């Protein structure tokens, strides 16, 4: 059965028999008076009993537990006095140890010490010793010293030194049930010194056993050990034991005093080398107690010796007592040990320990003497000991001190440490993962697969990957490929278990080591089936786009990202463009991998490039075939720059350098998309105090945009075979220029002087471009430069000379002032308002008003074809303002009126004038004098601008009229609105009839149908008695006008609409 603390069982009966037989053999003396010399005669029955118990145990561990129980029982018998007869009945009921204690005869410490020696169990002894209360602990150790110092034998020396070494190796917190019960028993009962040891008066103790880390307990125990060696060193004859004693003393003085330097633990490679050396020595040394042990036990024991007890350190006084004693020992034993060591073929464990500890000790002494404040006497001791140590080590053969270790042994030791999860097993995992001389042996692979849970750390995964790639590059046979597959699978499984943050660390490492291709660069097994895996994974992802699916999608992509980052990113980029509606979800996936913000150098360290940007260029850029794909690309790019809940994956500067700067040429096929991208990036807030635009050459960028803008002045005269961005893009370009003037500030320049130089450079460059461009840069130029405009502008405006200056431009001859003024109105809303304020027209002079109105119409027609939509809207505001101020005279003729309307048209006067102004403009534009001025392709743009204005005009009419179903006294009646709609419809058809290009009818049809729908709404709302007749007449009039339209498509569509109006009207009448 298992040993149970203080339980009576068959095994304890065997133990009792052994003690009873021993007691009989010790007669006439009782066991409690046993002497050391009597043990060989009395002890065998006890050891035989324990041997018999061991034979019954199912495992060595059980045998060890019984040894510990036996020692604990004997020690308890030594420490605890027998109960008086009056307390027998109470003891039987309350004392757990009562029954067992009564089974064993009274014994003394001779039995205890000799039993421990016979069992070869110093570790068990120390475990029990250190479980005792502090004062008893020291007392018992002193008893041991006293015991071994009397009639000292070699076995006594070995036992004492073993106990010393075990005290230093002991770790707290590893107590089992036996030790805990022993400690509790002693603390609860107290003890009295046995009668045979009556050298001291009886004493009692109670309370906590304390910790070995408590300073008084620690230092007192250590000093007892040193004093013990002082009392016994003369009895040490064997060189091996002398090495052992010196090693113990030196180790104690090195580690457990202020000599120990503060710092990091032993480097793991050195740590492994030392453990392997110890294991090697035990394996080759037949006298070692560990010679026959298995590798696991040897490694465990060697590892214990590498991490000594971190107890309180000796005081300075105690330290120098120890140093002085060591000095005398080295003087006395040094020469003998040097000769013995140099005559040996190889070291034993004890001599190895001595040389190793002395080497460390000497370094610590040097450091101690240099960094501590020492008295003269202390310094002399330290210097003398330093020299003695140096001389001793110098005389030892280098052959002994540097023995090469078998690589297979070192790797086996490392794997054992990992598998047994010993103290520094995680450090050992790092060595295991990166040591290429061990890698890919069958044991190595098996160990990795078996212990892969320990390698689930990003740094270990990276080291394993480096080792894997190194092996793959050097070994490519069939067996090697199979090993690669097995190891790759294990590493990927380790990686899969990492958190997303740690996965990103691994991806960062992969990119840093192998760039975009990642493992695929050197690991062919990665490529087998990868493309299929990639396609299947993303097919599943794009079919389950949801917030809930994001985590699963990221996990799936993470595995692919590890194996082949570049291919995975390209697949995401491609799908983000071609898969409708998935771009944001895919962007979220990419942004979950901040490691992808990796910058590639490609043999040019001075110009790093973003991996993601390169993948976008290679997978998507130049392959966008539809407007929808371009839109998704833009939104995808915007999300990568500004994700909702992650760090940006690409920076605005990187995007600008890749997709904008190389394409800012008017003949570039990507110019329009590049400008859209630039507009997006300018909307991204800068994350640092220094704006990102500074790194994108802002002034050359501004000049490029200005040159593009200048190209629009020749827009309709560009060569047909040369690409140029559309007029729709002009508005985008103008907005970008405005945004840049906002963000390019003096702070973006390295110095104020360079800012001024840059402004002067840009001003000089744009001087050769269209003069309006300088006005658009006014926010940038500030007060550095005046507004430079054609001299003729001063003829129509009162311009302050401190802000404005004239220049003589050949294209702006006499009478061109209004043209220049109108072009200024197109530049910006602010400048338009300035121009309206500064305009000089004498409204009291009819001739001047007439001349201005005619000139205005001519200027408007000159500007119209080159206007973007936003510029044209600014001009429409100018027209409205001038009409309302009655500065612009537009007479209204009733050429499309069959009879005089008795209506109040005053609220709509401005809109009628607007419509007539457009009509007059097209009459001029389509007249013989301008027949060759405008190229055929310009007409569609002109018609689109006209139609947008007519649509706005119709909206204004509706706004002024209010809802047709709620007429009020202060609102016009529905008849006025119907009349206005008829007039606008007729003007529109008149314009359509004049147009030379009949391919422009589509926008006209849309507006005409909208006007008719509006007419129908208000006409139907008219409840007057004459409504039916009037509607019939109006429909007949509209049909007759429409019949004269030459464009068949336009005419047919409008007549169809009018017939429906007639049918509804007839139905309502019926």
């Amino acid at each position: 059965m298992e040993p149970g603390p203080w339980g009576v069982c068959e095994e304890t009966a065997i133990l009792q028999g052994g003690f009873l037989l021993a007691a009989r053999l010790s007669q006439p003396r009782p066991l409690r008076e046993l002497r050391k010399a009597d043990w060989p005669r009395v002890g065998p029955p006890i050891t035989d009993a324990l041997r018999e118990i061991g034979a019954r145990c199912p495992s060595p561990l059980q045998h060890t537990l019984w040894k510990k129980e036996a020692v604990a029982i004997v020690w308890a018998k030594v420490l605890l006095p027998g109960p008086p007869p009056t307390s027998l009945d109470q003891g039987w009921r309350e004392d757990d140890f009562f029954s067992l204690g009564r089974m064993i005869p009274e014994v003394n410490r001779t039995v205890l010490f000799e039993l421990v020696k016979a069992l070869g169990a110093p570790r068990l002894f120390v475990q029990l010793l250190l479980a005792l209360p502090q004062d008893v602990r020291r007392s018992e150790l002193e008893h041991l010293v006293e015991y071994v110092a009397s009639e000292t034998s070699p076995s006594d020396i070995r036992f004492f030194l073993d106990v010393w070494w075990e005290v230093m190796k002991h770790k707290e917190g590893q107590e089992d049930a036996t030790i805990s019960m022993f400690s509790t028993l002693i603390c609860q009962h107290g003890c009295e010194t046995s009668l045979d040891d009556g050298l001291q008066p009886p004493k009692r103790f109670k309370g906590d056993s304390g910790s070995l880390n408590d300073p008084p307990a620690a230092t007192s125990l250590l000093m007892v050990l040193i004093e013990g060696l002082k009392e016994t060193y003369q009895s040490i004859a064997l060189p091996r034991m002398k090495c052992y004693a010196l090693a113990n003393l030196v180790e104690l003085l090195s580690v457990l005093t202020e000599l120990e330097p503060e710092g990091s633990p032993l480097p793991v490679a050195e740590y492994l080398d030392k453990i392997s050396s110890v294991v090697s020595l035990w394996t080759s040394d037949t006298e070692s107690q560990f010679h026959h042990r298995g590798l696991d036990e040897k490694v465990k024991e060697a590892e214990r010796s590498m991490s000594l007890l971190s107890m309180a350190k000796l005081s300075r006084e105690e330290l120098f007592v120890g140093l002085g004693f060591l000095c005398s020992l080295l003087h006395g034993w040094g020469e003998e040990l040097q000769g013995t060591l140099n005559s040996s073929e190889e070291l034993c464990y004890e001599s190895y320990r001595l040389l190793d500890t002395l080497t460390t000790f000497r370094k610590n002494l040097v450091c101690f003497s240099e960094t501590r404040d020492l008295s003269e006497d202390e310094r002399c001791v330290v210097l003398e000991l330093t020299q003695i140590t140096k001389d001793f080590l110098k005389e030892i053969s280098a052959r002994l001190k540097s023995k090469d270790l078998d690589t297979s042994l070192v790797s086996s030791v490392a794997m054992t440490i990992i598998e047994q999860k010993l103290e520094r097993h995680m450090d050992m995992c790092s060595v295991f993962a990166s040591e290429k001389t061990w890698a890919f042996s069958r044991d190595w692979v098996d160990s990795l697969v078996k212990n892969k849970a320990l390698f689930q750390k990003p740094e270990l995964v990276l080291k394993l990957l480096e080792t894997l790639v190194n092996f793959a590059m050097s070994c490519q046979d069939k067996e090697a490929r199979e090993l690669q597959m097995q190891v790759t699978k294990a590493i990927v499984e380790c990686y899969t278990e990492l958190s997303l943050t740690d996965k990103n660390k691994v991806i960062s490492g992969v990119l840093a080591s192998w760039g975009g291709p990642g493992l695929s660069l050197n690991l062919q097994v990665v490529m087998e089936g990868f493309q299929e895996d990639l396609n299947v994974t993303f097919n599943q992802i794009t079919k389950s786009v949801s917030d809930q699916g994001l985590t699963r999608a990221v996990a799936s992509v993470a595995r692919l990202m590890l194996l082949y980052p570049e291919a995975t990113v390209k697949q995401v980029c491609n799908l983000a463009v071609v898969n409708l509606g998935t771009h944001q979800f895919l962007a979220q996936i990419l942004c979950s991998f901040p490691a992808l913000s990796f910058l590639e150098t490609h043999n040019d360290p001075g110009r790093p490039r973003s991996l993601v940007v390169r993948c976008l260029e290679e997978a998507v850029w130049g392959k966008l075939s539809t407007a929808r794909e371009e839109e998704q690309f833009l939104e995808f790019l915007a999300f990568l720059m500004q994700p909702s809940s992650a760090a940006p994956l690409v920076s605005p500067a990187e995007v600008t350098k890749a997709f904008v700067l190389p394409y800012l040429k008017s003949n570039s096929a990507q110019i329009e998309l590049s400008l859209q991208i630039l507009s997006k990036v300018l909307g991204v807030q800068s994350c640092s105090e220094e704006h990102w635009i500074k790194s994108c050459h802002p002034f050359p960028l501004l000049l490029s945009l200005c040159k593009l803008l200048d190209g629009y002045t020749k827009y309709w005269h560009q060569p047909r075979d040369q690409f140029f961005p559309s007029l729709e893009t002009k508005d985008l370009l103008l907005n970008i220029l405005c945004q840049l003037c906002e963000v390019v500030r003096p702070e973006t320049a390295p110095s104020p002087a360079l800012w001024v130089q840059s402004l002067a450079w840009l001003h000089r460059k744009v001087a050769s471009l269209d003069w309006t461009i300088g006005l658009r840069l006014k926010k940038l130029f500030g007060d550095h430069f005046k507004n430079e405009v054609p001299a003729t502008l001063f003829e129509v405006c009162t311009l302050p000379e401190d802000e404005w200056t004239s220049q003589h431009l050949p294209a702006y001859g006499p009478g061109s002032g209004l043209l220049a003024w109108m072009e200024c109105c197109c530049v910006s809303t602010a400048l338009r308002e300035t121009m309206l304020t500064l305009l000089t027209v004498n409204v009291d002079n009819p001739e001047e008003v007439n001349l201005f109105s005619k000139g205005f119409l001519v200027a408007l027609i000159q500007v119209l074809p080159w206007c973007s939509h936003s510029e044209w809207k600014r001009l429409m505001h100018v027209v409205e303002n001038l009409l309302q101020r009655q500065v612009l005279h537009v007479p209204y003729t009733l050429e499309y009126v069959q009879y005089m309307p008795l209506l109040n048209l005053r609220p709509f006067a401005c809109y009628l004038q607007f419509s007539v102004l457009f009509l007059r403009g097209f009459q001029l534009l389509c007249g013989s004098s301008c027949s060759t001025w405008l190229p055929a392709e310009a007409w569609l743009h002109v018609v689109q601008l006209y139609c947008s204005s007519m649509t706005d005009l119709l909206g204004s009419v509706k706004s002024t009229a209010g809802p047709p179903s709620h007429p009020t006294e202060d609102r016009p009646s529905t008849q006025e609105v119907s009349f206005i709609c008829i007039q606008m419809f007729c003007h529109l058809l008149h314009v359509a009839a004049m147009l030379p290009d009949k391919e422009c009818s589509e926008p006209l049809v849309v507006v005409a149908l909208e006007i008719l729908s509006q007419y129908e709404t208000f006409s139907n709302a008219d409840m007057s008695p004459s409504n039916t007749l009037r509607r019939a007449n109006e429909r007949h009039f509209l049909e007759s006008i429409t019949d004269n339209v030459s464009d068949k498509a336009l005419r047919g569509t409008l007549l169809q609409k009018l017939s429906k109006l007639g049918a509804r009207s007839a139905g309502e009448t019926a």
Side-chain angles (χ1 to χ4, degrees), residues 507 511 516 561 565-566 568-574 586-587 589-600 602 609-621 633 636-637 639-641 648-651 654-655 658-659:
I507 295 169
L511 291 171
M561 207 69 77
E566 182 180 299
T568 308
V569 173
K570 285 182 178 179
Q571 184 81 340
V572 174
C573 295
N574 182 59
L586 291 167
I589 292 174
L590 268 195
C591 288
S592 299
F593 299 99
L596 296 176
S597 56
F598 174 72
L599 297 177
E600 302 174 313
H602 287 298
R609 293 185 63 207
S610 162
L611 166 68
V612 174
V613 170
R614 178 174 67 81
C615 290
L616 280 166
E617 283 183 291
E618 294 177 6
V620 178
W621 189 249
F633 174 72
F636 180 67
L637 201 55
F639 195 95
L640 295 182
M641 289 188 288
L649 207 51
V650 294
S651 70
E654 290 168 339
V655 171
F659 300 116

Side-chain angles (χ1 to χ4, degrees), residues 239-240 243 281 285 341 344 346-353:
R240 185 169 188 148
C243 288
L281 288 169
D285 184 4
L341 291 172
S344 304
E346 58 182 33
L347 295 172
C348 63
Y349 174 60
E350 288 77 9
S351 55
Y352 165 82
R353 259 194 75 213

